[in-house]
Coordinates of all heavy atoms in Angstrom, one line a residue:
M201 N 15.9 -24.3 10.8 CA 15.3 -23.0 11.1 C 15.1 -22.3 9.8 O 15.9 -22.2 8.9 CB 16.2 -22.2 12.0 CG 15.7 -20.8 12.3 SD 16.8 -19.9 13.2 CE 15.9 -19.8 14.8
T202 N 13.9 -21.8 9.5 CA 13.6 -21.1 8.3 C 13.8 -19.6 8.5 O 13.5 -19.0 9.6 CB 12.1 -21.3 7.8 OG1 11.2 -20.9 8.9 CG2 11.9 -22.8 7.5
D203 N 14.2 -18.9 7.4 CA 14.4 -17.5 7.5 C 13.2 -16.8 6.8 O 13.2 -16.8 5.5 CB 15.7 -17.2 6.8 CG 16.1 -15.7 6.9 OD1 15.6 -15.1 7.9 OD2 16.9 -15.2 6.1
T204 N 12.3 -16.3 7.5 CA 11.1 -15.7 6.9 C 11.2 -14.2 7.0 O 11.7 -13.6 7.9 CB 9.8 -16.2 7.6 OG1 9.9 -15.8 9.0 CG2 9.6 -17.7 7.6
Q205 N 10.6 -13.6 6.0 CA 10.5 -12.1 5.9 C 9.3 -11.7 6.7 O 8.2 -12.3 6.6 CB 10.4 -11.7 4.5 CG 11.6 -12.0 3.6 CD 12.8 -11.2 4.1 OE1 12.8 -10.3 4.9 NE2 14.0 -11.6 3.5
P206 N 9.4 -10.5 7.4 CA 8.2 -10.0 8.1 C 7.2 -9.5 7.0 O 7.6 -9.0 5.9 CB 8.7 -8.9 8.9 CG 10.0 -8.5 8.3 CD 10.6 -9.7 7.6
N207 N 5.9 -9.6 7.3 CA 4.9 -9.1 6.4 C 5.0 -7.5 6.4 O 5.4 -6.9 7.4 CB 3.5 -9.5 6.9 CG 3.2 -10.9 6.5 OD1 3.8 -11.5 5.6 ND2 2.2 -11.5 7.1
T208 N 4.6 -7.0 5.3 CA 4.5 -5.5 5.2 C 3.0 -5.2 5.3 O 2.1 -5.8 4.7 CB 5.0 -5.1 3.8 OG1 6.4 -5.4 3.7 CG2 4.8 -3.6 3.6
T209 N 2.7 -4.3 6.2 CA 1.3 -4.0 6.5 C 0.9 -2.8 5.6 O 1.6 -1.8 5.6 CB 1.1 -3.6 8.0 OG1 1.4 -4.7 8.8 CG2 -0.4 -3.2 8.2
I210 N -0.2 -2.9 4.9 CA -0.7 -1.9 4.0 C -2.0 -1.4 4.7 O -3.0 -2.2 4.9 CB -1.1 -2.4 2.6 CG1 0.1 -3.3 2.0 CG2 -1.4 -1.3 1.7 CD1 1.4 -2.6 1.9
R211 N -2.0 -0.1 5.0 CA -3.2 0.5 5.7 C -3.9 1.4 4.7 O -3.3 2.1 3.9 CB -2.8 1.3 6.9 CG -2.2 0.4 8.0 CD -2.0 1.1 9.3 NE -1.2 0.3 10.2 CZ -1.6 -0.7 10.9 NH1 -2.8 -1.2 10.8 NH2 -0.8 -1.3 11.8
Y212 N -5.3 1.4 4.8 CA -6.1 2.2 3.9 C -6.9 3.2 4.7 O -7.4 2.9 5.8 CB -7.0 1.3 3.1 CG -6.3 0.2 2.4 CD1 -6.6 -1.2 2.8 CD2 -5.4 0.4 1.4 CE1 -6.0 -2.2 2.1 CE2 -4.8 -0.6 0.8 CZ -5.0 -1.9 1.1 OH -4.4 -3.0 0.5
F213 N -7.0 4.4 4.2 CA -7.8 5.5 4.9 C -8.8 6.1 3.9 O -8.6 6.1 2.7 CB -6.8 6.5 5.4 CG -5.9 6.0 6.4 CD1 -4.6 5.4 6.1 CD2 -6.2 5.9 7.8 CE1 -3.8 4.9 7.1 CE2 -5.4 5.4 8.7 CZ -4.2 4.9 8.4
A214 N -9.8 6.7 4.6 CA -10.9 7.5 3.9 C -11.6 6.6 2.9 O -11.9 5.5 3.1 CB -10.3 8.8 3.3
W215 N -11.8 7.2 1.7 CA -12.6 6.4 0.7 C -11.9 5.2 0.2 O -12.6 4.2 -0.3 CB -13.1 7.3 -0.5 CG -12.0 7.9 -1.3 CD1 -11.5 9.2 -1.3 CD2 -11.2 7.2 -2.3 NE1 -10.5 9.3 -2.2 CE2 -10.3 8.2 -2.9 CE3 -11.2 6.0 -2.9 CZ2 -9.4 7.9 -3.9 CZ3 -10.4 5.6 -3.9 CH2 -9.5 6.6 -4.4
V216 N -10.6 5.1 0.3 CA -9.9 3.9 -0.1 C -10.3 2.8 0.8 O -10.6 1.7 0.3 CB -8.3 4.1 0.0 CG1 -7.6 2.9 -0.4 CG2 -7.9 5.3 -0.9
R217 N -10.4 3.0 2.1 CA -10.8 2.0 3.1 C -12.3 1.6 2.8 O -12.6 0.4 2.8 CB -10.7 2.5 4.5 CG -11.2 1.5 5.5 CD -11.3 2.2 6.9 NE -10.0 2.5 7.4 CZ -9.6 2.5 8.7 NH1 -10.5 2.3 9.6 NH2 -8.4 2.7 9.0
T218 N -13.1 2.6 2.5 CA -14.5 2.3 2.3 C -14.7 1.5 1.0 O -15.4 0.5 1.1 CB -15.3 3.6 2.1 OG1 -15.1 4.4 3.3 CG2 -16.8 3.4 1.9
R219 N -14.0 1.8 0.0 CA -14.2 1.1 -1.3 C -13.6 -0.3 -1.2 O -14.1 -1.2 -1.9 CB -13.6 1.8 -2.5 CG -14.4 3.1 -2.8 CD -13.9 3.8 -4.0 NE -14.7 5.0 -4.2 CZ -14.3 6.0 -5.0 NH1 -13.2 5.9 -5.7 NH2 -15.0 7.0 -5.1
L220 N -12.6 -0.5 -0.4 CA -12.0 -1.9 -0.3 C -12.7 -2.7 0.8 O -12.5 -3.9 0.9 CB -10.5 -1.8 0.0 CG -9.6 -1.2 -1.1 CD1 -8.2 -1.1 -0.6 CD2 -9.7 -2.1 -2.3
N221 N -13.5 -2.0 1.6 CA -14.2 -2.6 2.7 C -13.3 -3.3 3.6 O -13.5 -4.4 4.1 CB -15.3 -3.6 2.2 CG -16.3 -4.0 3.2 OD1 -16.6 -3.2 4.1 ND2 -16.8 -5.2 3.1
R222 N -12.1 -2.7 3.9 CA -11.1 -3.2 4.8 C -10.2 -2.1 5.2 O -10.0 -1.2 4.5 CB -10.4 -4.4 4.2 CG -9.6 -4.0 3.0 CD -8.7 -5.1 2.4 NE -9.0 -6.4 2.7 CZ -9.2 -7.3 1.8 NH1 -9.2 -7.0 0.5 NH2 -9.4 -8.6 2.1
A223 N -9.6 -2.2 6.4 CA -8.7 -1.2 6.9 C -7.2 -1.5 6.5 O -6.4 -0.6 6.4 CB -8.8 -1.1 8.4
E224 N -6.9 -2.8 6.2 CA -5.5 -3.1 5.9 C -5.4 -4.4 5.3 O -6.3 -5.3 5.3 CB -4.7 -3.0 7.2 CG -5.0 -4.1 8.2 CD -4.2 -3.9 9.5 OE1 -4.1 -2.8 10.0 OE2 -3.6 -4.9 10.0
D225 N -4.2 -4.7 4.7 CA -3.8 -5.9 4.2 C -2.4 -6.2 4.6 O -1.6 -5.2 4.9 CB -3.8 -5.9 2.6 CG -5.1 -6.1 2.0 OD1 -5.9 -7.0 2.4 OD2 -5.5 -5.2 1.1
D226 N -2.0 -7.4 4.7 CA -0.6 -7.8 5.0 C -0.1 -8.5 3.8 O -0.8 -9.5 3.3 CB -0.5 -8.8 6.2 CG -0.7 -8.0 7.5 OD1 -0.3 -6.8 7.6 OD2 -1.3 -8.6 8.5
V227 N 1.0 -8.1 3.3 CA 1.6 -8.7 2.1 C 3.0 -9.1 2.3 O 3.7 -8.5 3.2 CB 1.5 -7.8 0.8 CG1 0.0 -7.5 0.5 CG2 2.2 -6.5 1.0
T228 N 3.5 -10.0 1.5 CA 4.9 -10.3 1.6 C 5.6 -9.8 0.4 O 5.2 -10.0 -0.8 CB 5.1 -11.9 1.6 OG1 4.4 -12.4 2.7 CG2 6.5 -12.3 1.7
I229 N 6.7 -9.0 0.6 CA 7.5 -8.5 -0.5 C 8.9 -9.1 -0.5 O 9.3 -9.6 0.5 CB 7.5 -6.9 -0.5 CG1 8.2 -6.4 0.8 CG2 6.1 -6.4 -0.6 CD1 8.4 -4.9 0.7
P230 N 9.6 -8.9 -1.6 CA 11.0 -9.5 -1.7 C 11.9 -8.9 -0.6 O 11.7 -7.7 -0.2 CB 11.4 -9.1 -3.1 CG 10.2 -8.8 -3.8 CD 9.2 -8.3 -2.9
A231 N 12.9 -9.7 -0.2 CA 13.8 -9.2 0.8 C 14.6 -8.0 0.4 O 14.9 -7.1 1.3 CB 14.8 -10.3 1.1
A232 N 14.8 -7.8 -0.9 CA 15.5 -6.6 -1.4 C 14.5 -5.4 -1.4 O 15.0 -4.3 -1.8 CB 16.0 -6.9 -2.8
G233 N 13.3 -5.6 -1.1 CA 12.3 -4.5 -1.2 C 11.7 -4.3 -2.6 O 12.1 -5.0 -3.5
M234 N 10.9 -3.3 -2.7 CA 10.3 -3.0 -4.0 C 9.8 -1.5 -4.0 O 9.6 -1.0 -2.9 CB 9.1 -3.9 -4.4 CG 7.9 -3.8 -3.5 SD 6.6 -5.1 -3.7 CE 6.7 -5.5 -5.4
R235 N 9.7 -0.9 -5.1 CA 9.3 0.5 -5.2 C 7.8 0.5 -4.9 O 7.0 -0.4 -5.1 CB 9.5 1.0 -6.6 CG 11.0 1.0 -7.0 CD 11.7 2.2 -6.5 NE 13.1 2.1 -6.7 CZ 14.0 2.4 -5.8 NH1 13.7 3.0 -4.7 NH2 15.3 2.3 -6.1
L236 N 7.4 1.6 -4.4 CA 6.0 1.8 -4.0 C 5.1 1.6 -5.2 O 4.0 1.0 -5.1 CB 5.8 3.2 -3.4 CG 4.6 3.5 -2.6 CD1 4.3 2.5 -1.5 CD2 4.6 4.9 -2.1
Q237 N 5.5 2.1 -6.4 CA 4.7 1.9 -7.6 C 4.6 0.4 -7.9 O 3.5 0.0 -8.3 CB 5.4 2.6 -8.8 CG 4.6 2.5 -10.1 CD 5.2 3.4 -11.1 OE1 6.2 4.0 -11.0 NE2 4.5 3.4 -12.3
D238 N 5.6 -0.4 -7.7 CA 5.5 -1.9 -8.0 C 4.6 -2.5 -6.9 O 3.9 -3.5 -7.3 CB 6.9 -2.5 -8.0 CG 7.7 -2.0 -9.1 OD1 7.2 -1.7 -10.2 OD2 9.0 -1.8 -8.9
L239 N 4.6 -2.0 -5.7 CA 3.7 -2.5 -4.7 C 2.2 -2.3 -5.1 O 1.4 -3.1 -5.0 CB 4.0 -1.9 -3.3 CG 3.0 -2.3 -2.2 CD1 3.0 -3.8 -1.9 CD2 3.3 -1.5 -1.0
A240 N 2.0 -1.1 -5.6 CA 0.6 -0.7 -6.1 C 0.2 -1.7 -7.2 O -1.0 -2.1 -7.3 CB 0.6 0.7 -6.6
I241 N 1.1 -2.0 -8.1 CA 0.8 -3.0 -9.2 C 0.5 -4.3 -8.6 O -0.5 -5.0 -9.0 CB 2.0 -3.1 -10.2 CG1 2.1 -1.7 -11.0 CG2 1.8 -4.2 -11.1 CD1 3.3 -1.6 -11.8
M242 N 1.2 -4.8 -7.6 CA 1.0 -6.0 -6.9 C -0.4 -6.0 -6.2 O -1.1 -7.0 -6.3 CB 2.1 -6.3 -5.9 CG 2.0 -7.7 -5.3 SD 3.4 -8.0 -4.2 CE 2.7 -7.4 -2.7
L243 N -0.7 -4.9 -5.6 CA -2.0 -4.8 -4.9 C -3.2 -4.9 -5.9 O -4.3 -5.4 -5.5 CB -2.1 -3.5 -4.1 CG -1.2 -3.5 -2.9 CD1 -1.2 -2.1 -2.3 CD2 -1.6 -4.5 -1.8
Q244 N -3.0 -4.5 -7.1 CA -4.1 -4.6 -8.1 C -4.6 -6.1 -8.2 O -5.8 -6.3 -8.6 CB -3.6 -4.2 -9.5 CG -3.4 -2.7 -9.5 CD -2.9 -2.3 -10.9 OE1 -3.4 -2.7 -11.9 NE2 -1.9 -1.4 -10.9
E245 N -3.8 -7.0 -7.9 CA -4.2 -8.4 -8.1 C -5.0 -9.0 -6.9 O -5.5 -10.1 -6.9 CB -2.9 -9.3 -8.3 CG -2.2 -8.9 -9.5 CD -0.8 -9.6 -9.6 OE1 -0.6 -10.5 -8.8 OE2 -0.1 -9.2 -10.5
Q246 N -5.2 -8.2 -5.8 CA -5.9 -8.6 -4.6 C -7.4 -8.8 -4.8 O -8.0 -9.7 -4.3 CB -5.6 -7.7 -3.5 CG -4.2 -7.5 -3.0 CD -3.7 -8.7 -2.3 OE1 -4.4 -9.4 -1.5 NE2 -2.4 -9.1 -2.5
S247 N -8.0 -7.9 -5.6 CA -9.4 -8.0 -5.9 C -9.8 -7.0 -7.0 O -8.9 -6.2 -7.4 CB -10.2 -7.6 -4.6 OG -10.1 -6.2 -4.3
T248 N -11.0 -7.1 -7.4 CA -11.5 -6.1 -8.5 C -11.4 -4.7 -7.9 O -11.0 -3.8 -8.6 CB -12.9 -6.5 -8.9 OG1 -12.9 -7.8 -9.3 CG2 -13.4 -5.6 -10.0
S249 N -11.8 -4.5 -6.7 CA -11.7 -3.1 -6.1 C -10.3 -2.6 -6.0 O -10.0 -1.5 -6.3 CB -12.4 -3.1 -4.7 OG -13.8 -3.4 -4.8
H250 N -9.4 -3.5 -5.6 CA -8.0 -3.1 -5.6 C -7.5 -2.7 -7.0 O -6.8 -1.7 -7.1 CB -7.1 -4.3 -5.1 CG -7.1 -4.5 -3.6 ND1 -8.1 -5.2 -3.0 CD2 -6.2 -4.2 -2.6 CE1 -7.8 -5.3 -1.7 NE2 -6.7 -4.7 -1.5
A251 N -7.9 -3.5 -8.0 CA -7.5 -3.2 -9.4 C -8.0 -1.8 -9.8 O -7.2 -1.0 -10.4 CB -8.1 -4.2 -10.3
V252 N -9.2 -1.4 -9.4 CA -9.7 -0.1 -9.8 C -8.9 1.0 -9.1 O -8.4 2.0 -9.7 CB -11.2 0.0 -9.5 CG1 -11.7 1.5 -9.6 CG2 -12.0 -0.9 -10.4
I253 N -8.7 0.8 -7.8 CA -8.1 1.9 -7.0 C -6.6 2.0 -7.3 O -6.1 3.1 -7.5 CB -8.3 1.6 -5.5 CG1 -9.7 1.8 -5.1 CG2 -7.3 2.4 -4.6 CD1 -10.1 1.2 -3.7
F254 N -5.9 0.9 -7.4 CA -4.5 0.9 -7.6 C -4.1 0.9 -9.1 O -2.9 1.0 -9.5 CB -3.8 -0.2 -6.9 CG -3.8 0.0 -5.4 CD1 -4.7 -0.7 -4.6 CD2 -3.1 1.0 -4.8 CE1 -4.8 -0.5 -3.3 CE2 -3.1 1.2 -3.4 CZ -4.0 0.5 -2.7
G255 N -5.1 1.0 -10.0 CA -4.8 1.1 -11.4 C -4.3 2.5 -11.7 O -3.7 2.7 -12.8
R256 N -4.6 3.4 -10.8 CA -4.1 4.8 -11.0 C -3.4 5.2 -9.7 O -3.9 6.1 -8.9 CB -5.2 5.8 -11.3 CG -5.8 5.5 -12.7 CD -6.8 6.6 -13.1 NE -6.2 8.0 -12.8 CZ -6.9 8.9 -12.2 NH1 -8.1 8.8 -11.8 NH2 -6.4 10.1 -12.0
P257 N -2.3 4.7 -9.3 CA -1.6 5.0 -8.0 C -1.2 6.4 -7.9 O -1.2 6.9 -6.8 CB -0.4 4.0 -7.9 CG -0.1 3.7 -9.4 CD -1.5 3.7 -10.1
E258 N -1.0 7.1 -9.0 CA -0.7 8.5 -8.9 C -1.8 9.4 -8.4 O -1.6 10.5 -8.0 CB -0.2 9.0 -10.3 CG -1.3 9.1 -11.4 CD -1.7 7.8 -12.0 OE1 -1.0 6.7 -11.7 OE2 -2.6 7.8 -12.9
A259 N -3.0 8.8 -8.3 CA -4.2 9.5 -7.8 C -4.3 9.4 -6.3 O -5.2 10.0 -5.7 CB -5.5 9.0 -8.4
L260 N -3.4 8.7 -5.7 CA -3.3 8.5 -4.2 C -2.1 9.1 -3.6 O -1.1 9.3 -4.3 CB -3.3 7.0 -3.9 CG -4.5 6.2 -4.4 CD1 -4.2 4.7 -4.2 CD2 -5.8 6.6 -3.7
K261 N -2.2 9.4 -2.4 CA -1.0 9.7 -1.6 C -0.6 8.5 -0.8 O -1.4 7.6 -0.5 CB -1.3 10.9 -0.6 CG -1.7 12.2 -1.3 CD -0.4 12.7 -2.0 CE -0.7 14.1 -2.5 NZ 0.4 14.6 -3.3
A262 N 0.7 8.5 -0.4 CA 1.2 7.3 0.3 C 2.2 7.8 1.4 O 2.8 8.8 1.3 CB 1.9 6.3 -0.7
A263 N 2.4 6.9 2.4 CA 3.4 7.1 3.4 C 4.0 5.8 3.7 O 3.3 4.7 3.6 CB 2.7 7.7 4.7
I264 N 5.3 5.8 4.0 CA 6.0 4.6 4.4 C 6.5 4.9 5.8 O 7.2 5.9 6.1 CB 7.2 4.3 3.5 CG1 6.7 4.0 2.1 CG2 8.0 3.1 4.0 CD1 7.8 3.9 1.1
N265 N 6.1 4.1 6.8 CA 6.5 4.3 8.2 C 6.1 5.7 8.7 O 7.0 6.4 9.3 CB 7.9 3.9 8.4 CG 8.2 2.5 8.1 OD1 7.4 1.6 8.4 ND2 9.3 2.2 7.5
K266 N 5.0 6.2 8.3 CA 4.4 7.5 8.7 C 5.1 8.7 8.1 O 5.0 9.8 8.6 CB 4.3 7.5 10.2 CG 3.4 6.5 10.7 CD 3.2 6.5 12.2 CE 2.2 5.4 12.6 NZ 2.3 5.0 14.0
Q267 N 5.9 8.4 7.0 CA 6.6 9.5 6.3 C 6.0 9.6 4.9 O 6.1 8.5 4.2 CB 8.1 9.3 6.3 CG 8.7 9.3 7.7 CD 8.7 10.7 8.3 OE1 9.0 11.7 7.7 NE2 8.4 10.7 9.6
Y268 N 5.6 10.7 4.4 CA 5.1 10.8 3.1 C 6.2 10.3 2.1 O 7.4 10.5 2.3 CB 4.8 12.3 2.7 CG 3.5 12.8 3.3 CD1 3.5 13.7 4.3 CD2 2.3 12.3 2.8 CE1 2.4 14.2 4.9 CE2 1.1 12.8 3.4 CZ 1.2 13.7 4.4 OH 0.0 14.2 5.0
A269 N 5.7 9.6 1.1 CA 6.6 9.0 0.1 C 6.0 9.1 -1.3 O 4.8 9.1 -1.5 CB 6.8 7.5 0.5
D270 N 6.9 9.2 -2.3 CA 6.4 9.2 -3.7 C 6.5 7.8 -4.2 O 7.0 6.9 -3.6 CB 7.1 10.2 -4.5 CG 8.6 9.9 -4.7 OD1 9.0 8.7 -4.7 OD2 9.4 10.9 -5.0
L271 N 6.0 7.6 -5.4 CA 5.9 6.2 -6.0 C 7.3 5.6 -6.3 O 7.3 4.4 -6.4 CB 5.1 6.3 -7.3 CG 3.6 6.6 -7.1 CD1 2.9 6.7 -8.4 CD2 2.9 5.5 -6.2
S272 N 8.3 6.4 -6.3 CA 9.7 5.8 -6.5 C 10.3 5.3 -5.2 O 11.4 4.7 -5.2 CB 10.6 6.8 -7.2 OG 10.8 7.9 -6.4
A273 N 9.7 5.6 -4.0 CA 10.3 5.2 -2.7 C 10.3 3.7 -2.6 O 9.5 2.9 -3.1 CB 9.4 5.8 -1.6
L274 N 11.3 3.3 -1.8 CA 11.5 1.8 -1.6 C 10.8 1.4 -0.4 O 10.9 2.0 0.7 CB 13.0 1.6 -1.4 CG 13.5 0.1 -1.4 CD1 13.2 -0.6 -2.7 CD2 15.0 0.0 -1.1
V275 N 10.1 0.3 -0.5 CA 9.3 -0.4 0.6 C 10.1 -1.6 0.9 O 10.4 -2.4 0.1 CB 7.9 -0.7 0.2 CG1 7.2 -1.4 1.4 CG2 7.1 0.5 -0.3
M276 N 10.4 -1.8 2.2 CA 11.1 -3.0 2.7 C 10.2 -3.9 3.5 O 9.2 -3.4 4.1 CB 12.3 -2.6 3.5 CG 13.3 -1.7 2.8 SD 14.1 -2.6 1.4 CE 15.0 -3.9 2.2
P277 N 10.5 -5.2 3.6 CA 9.7 -6.1 4.4 C 9.6 -5.5 5.9 O 10.6 -5.0 6.4 CB 10.5 -7.4 4.4 CG 11.3 -7.4 3.1 CD 11.6 -5.9 2.9
G278 N 8.5 -5.6 6.4 CA 8.2 -5.1 7.8 C 7.8 -3.7 7.8 O 7.4 -3.2 8.9
D279 N 7.9 -2.9 6.7 CA 7.4 -1.5 6.7 C 5.9 -1.5 6.8 O 5.2 -2.4 6.5 CB 7.8 -0.8 5.4 CG 9.3 -0.4 5.3 OD1 10.0 -0.5 6.4 OD2 9.7 0.0 4.3
E280 N 5.5 -0.3 7.2 CA 4.0 0.0 7.2 C 3.8 1.0 6.1 O 4.4 2.1 6.1 CB 3.6 0.6 8.6 CG 2.1 1.0 8.6 CD 1.7 1.6 9.9 OE1 1.3 0.9 10.8 OE2 1.9 2.9 9.9
V281 N 2.9 0.7 5.2 CA 2.6 1.6 4.1 C 1.1 2.0 4.3 O 0.3 1.2 4.6 CB 2.8 0.8 2.8 CG1 2.4 1.7 1.6 CG2 4.2 0.4 2.6
A282 N 0.9 3.3 4.0 CA -0.5 3.8 4.1 C -0.8 4.4 2.7 O 0.0 5.1 2.1 CB -0.6 4.9 5.2
F283 N -2.1 4.2 2.3 CA -2.6 4.8 1.1 C -3.8 5.6 1.5 O -4.7 5.1 2.2 CB -2.9 3.8 0.0 CG -1.8 3.2 -0.7 CD1 -1.3 1.9 -0.3 CD2 -1.1 3.8 -1.7 CE1 -0.2 1.3 -0.9 CE2 0.0 3.3 -2.3 CZ 0.5 2.0 -1.9
F284 N -3.9 6.8 0.9 CA -5.1 7.7 1.3 C -5.3 8.7 0.1 O -4.4 8.9 -0.7 CB -4.8 8.4 2.6 CG -3.4 9.0 2.7 CD1 -3.2 10.3 2.4 CD2 -2.4 8.2 3.2 CE1 -1.9 10.8 2.5 CE2 -1.1 8.7 3.4 CZ -0.9 10.0 3.0
P285 N -6.5 9.3 0.1 CA -6.7 10.3 -1.0 C -5.9 11.5 -0.7 O -5.4 11.8 0.4 CB -8.2 10.6 -0.8 CG -8.7 9.7 0.2 CD -7.6 9.0 0.9
P286 N -5.7 12.3 -1.8 CA -4.9 13.5 -1.6 C -5.5 14.5 -0.6 O -4.7 15.2 0.1 CB -5.0 14.2 -3.0 CG -5.3 13.1 -3.9 CD -6.1 12.1 -3.2
V287 N -6.8 14.5 -0.4 CA -7.4 15.4 0.6 C -8.3 14.5 1.5 O -9.1 13.8 1.0 CB -8.3 16.5 -0.1 CG1 -8.9 17.4 1.0 CG2 -7.4 17.3 -1.0
T288 N -8.0 14.6 2.8 CA -8.9 13.9 3.7 C -9.5 14.9 4.7 O -8.9 15.9 5.1 CB -8.1 12.8 4.5 OG1 -7.1 13.4 5.2 CG2 -7.6 11.8 3.6
G289 N -10.7 14.6 5.2 CA -11.3 15.5 6.2 C -11.1 15.0 7.6 O -10.6 13.9 7.8
G290 N -11.4 15.8 8.5 CA -11.1 15.3 9.9 C -12.3 15.4 10.8 O -13.4 15.8 10.7

């Protein structure tokens, strides 16, 4: 029997979603977790668009499991992370 980690779902909103041309990604992170800032660095490797957007993660807002989080927050396997612009319309 293999011990697999659950994927971490990364959801994108507003212009982030539009520029990436996708609503979400699923990624695998270490069992010990990683800081949100390190996750942003990892996401830069997904595509050229990801590199541009996540090259300045401080320009985005983020939430982990629907709770606002700063870049030092810990993301664990199975968490849901959302990235969105500082101001969104409704």
